[in-house]
PDB file of all heavy atoms in Angstrom:
ATOM      1  N   TYR R 173    -133.802 -57.941 264.016  1.00 98.00           N
ATOM      2  CA  TYR R 173    -133.084 -57.368 262.877  1.00 98.00           C
ATOM      3  C   TYR R 173    -133.916 -56.358 262.091  1.00 98.00           C
ATOM      4  O   TYR R 173    -133.359 -55.490 261.411  1.00 98.00           O
ATOM      5  CB  TYR R 173    -132.634 -58.514 261.962  1.00 98.00           C
ATOM      6  CG  TYR R 173    -131.398 -59.266 262.346  1.00 98.00           C
ATOM      7  CD1 TYR R 173    -130.845 -59.081 263.607  1.00 98.00           C
ATOM      8  CD2 TYR R 173    -130.777 -60.152 261.519  1.00 98.00           C
ATOM      9  CE1 TYR R 173    -129.742 -59.782 264.015  1.00 98.00           C
ATOM     10  CE2 TYR R 173    -129.621 -60.830 261.887  1.00 98.00           C
ATOM     11  CZ  TYR R 173    -129.110 -60.669 263.167  1.00 98.00           C
ATOM     12  OH  TYR R 173    -127.961 -61.353 263.575  1.00 98.00           O
ATOM     13  N   ALA R 174    -135.246 -56.469 262.171  1.00 98.00           N
ATOM     14  CA  ALA R 174    -136.123 -55.517 261.450  1.00 98.00           C
ATOM     15  C   ALA R 174    -136.052 -54.147 262.043  1.00 98.00           C
ATOM     16  O   ALA R 174    -136.403 -53.164 261.331  1.00 98.00           O
ATOM     17  CB  ALA R 174    -137.553 -56.040 261.473  1.00 98.00           C
ATOM     18  N   ALA R 175    -135.641 -53.970 263.283  1.00 97.00           N
ATOM     19  CA  ALA R 175    -135.422 -52.665 263.895  1.00 97.00           C
ATOM     20  C   ALA R 175    -136.676 -51.757 263.744  1.00 97.00           C
ATOM     21  O   ALA R 175    -136.560 -50.646 263.280  1.00 97.00           O
ATOM     22  CB  ALA R 175    -134.191 -52.002 263.326  1.00 97.00           C
ATOM     23  N   ILE R 176    -137.827 -52.300 264.094  1.00 98.00           N
ATOM     24  CA  ILE R 176    -139.084 -51.555 263.954  1.00 98.00           C
ATOM     25  C   ILE R 176    -139.118 -50.450 264.977  1.00 98.00           C
ATOM     26  O   ILE R 176    -138.987 -50.731 266.193  1.00 98.00           O
ATOM     27  CB  ILE R 176    -140.285 -52.518 264.143  1.00 98.00           C
ATOM     28  CG1 ILE R 176    -140.134 -53.720 263.204  1.00 98.00           C
ATOM     29  CG2 ILE R 176    -141.586 -51.767 263.893  1.00 98.00           C
ATOM     30  CD1 ILE R 176    -140.914 -54.955 263.656  1.00 98.00           C
ATOM     31  N   PRO R 177    -139.253 -49.210 264.615  1.00 97.00           N
ATOM     32  CA  PRO R 177    -139.208 -48.119 265.552  1.00 97.00           C
ATOM     33  C   PRO R 177    -140.491 -48.073 266.431  1.00 97.00           C
ATOM     34  O   PRO R 177    -141.522 -48.629 266.033  1.00 97.00           O
ATOM     35  CB  PRO R 177    -139.128 -46.876 264.680  1.00 97.00           C
ATOM     36  CG  PRO R 177    -139.768 -47.283 263.401  1.00 97.00           C
ATOM     37  CD  PRO R 177    -139.487 -48.747 263.192  1.00 97.00           C
ATOM     38  N   PRO R 178    -140.452 -47.460 267.585  1.00 96.00           N
ATOM     39  CA  PRO R 178    -141.657 -47.304 268.407  1.00 96.00           C
ATOM     40  C   PRO R 178    -142.773 -46.648 267.604  1.00 96.00           C
ATOM     41  O   PRO R 178    -142.552 -45.668 266.871  1.00 96.00           O
ATOM     42  CB  PRO R 178    -141.179 -46.403 269.527  1.00 96.00           C
ATOM     43  CG  PRO R 178    -139.691 -46.602 269.632  1.00 96.00           C
ATOM     44  CD  PRO R 178    -139.242 -46.843 268.225  1.00 96.00           C
ATOM     45  N   GLY R 179    -143.979 -47.229 267.721  1.00 95.00           N
ATOM     46  CA  GLY R 179    -145.105 -46.706 266.930  1.00 95.00           C
ATOM     47  C   GLY R 179    -145.044 -47.063 265.474  1.00 95.00           C
ATOM     48  O   GLY R 179    -145.811 -46.562 264.670  1.00 95.00           O
ATOM     49  N   GLY R 180    -144.115 -47.986 265.109  1.00 97.00           N
ATOM     50  CA  GLY R 180    -143.906 -48.288 263.688  1.00 97.00           C
ATOM     51  C   GLY R 180    -144.746 -49.427 263.173  1.00 97.00           C
ATOM     52  O   GLY R 180    -145.645 -49.958 263.806  1.00 97.00           O
ATOM     53  N   SER R 181    -144.380 -49.846 261.956  1.00 98.00           N
ATOM     54  CA  SER R 181    -145.113 -50.899 261.229  1.00 98.00           C
ATOM     55  C   SER R 181    -144.186 -51.889 260.598  1.00 98.00           C
ATOM     56  O   SER R 181    -143.014 -51.546 260.305  1.00 98.00           O
ATOM     57  CB  SER R 181    -146.017 -50.264 260.155  1.00 98.00           C
ATOM     58  OG  SER R 181    -145.244 -49.514 259.246  1.00 98.00           O
ATOM     59  N   VAL R 182    -144.683 -53.084 260.399  1.00 98.00           N
ATOM     60  CA  VAL R 182    -143.889 -54.146 259.749  1.00 98.00           C
ATOM     61  C   VAL R 182    -144.793 -54.977 258.870  1.00 98.00           C
ATOM     62  O   VAL R 182    -145.973 -55.208 259.231  1.00 98.00           O
ATOM     63  CB  VAL R 182    -143.186 -55.055 260.789  1.00 98.00           C
ATOM     64  CG1 VAL R 182    -144.174 -55.795 261.675  1.00 98.00           C
ATOM     65  CG2 VAL R 182    -142.241 -56.063 260.106  1.00 98.00           C
ATOM     66  N   ALA R 183    -144.282 -55.380 257.733  1.00 98.00           N
ATOM     67  CA  ALA R 183    -144.956 -56.342 256.855  1.00 98.00           C
ATOM     68  C   ALA R 183    -144.188 -57.618 256.892  1.00 98.00           C
ATOM     69  O   ALA R 183    -142.940 -57.628 256.725  1.00 98.00           O
ATOM     70  CB  ALA R 183    -145.087 -55.821 255.441  1.00 98.00           C
ATOM     71  N   VAL R 184    -144.868 -58.726 257.124  1.00 98.00           N
ATOM     72  CA  VAL R 184    -144.232 -60.023 257.176  1.00 98.00           C
ATOM     73  C   VAL R 184    -144.644 -60.817 255.933  1.00 98.00           C
ATOM     74  O   VAL R 184    -145.830 -61.079 255.730  1.00 98.00           O
ATOM     75  CB  VAL R 184    -144.589 -60.842 258.440  1.00 98.00           C
ATOM     76  CG1 VAL R 184    -143.923 -62.202 258.420  1.00 98.00           C
ATOM     77  CG2 VAL R 184    -144.190 -60.017 259.675  1.00 98.00           C
ATOM     78  N   LEU R 185    -143.701 -61.123 255.084  1.00 96.00           N
ATOM     79  CA  LEU R 185    -143.960 -61.876 253.858  1.00 96.00           C
ATOM     80  C   LEU R 185    -143.837 -63.396 254.140  1.00 96.00           C
ATOM     81  O   LEU R 185    -142.766 -63.846 254.516  1.00 96.00           O
ATOM     82  CB  LEU R 185    -143.002 -61.489 252.765  1.00 96.00           C
ATOM     83  CG  LEU R 185    -142.874 -60.044 252.434  1.00 96.00           C
ATOM     84  CD1 LEU R 185    -141.938 -59.824 251.227  1.00 96.00           C
ATOM     85  CD2 LEU R 185    -144.229 -59.407 252.114  1.00 96.00           C
TER      86      LEU R 185
END
Side-chain angles (χ1 to χ4, degrees):
Y173 280 11
I176 308 157
S181 57
V182 62
V184 179
L185 307 185

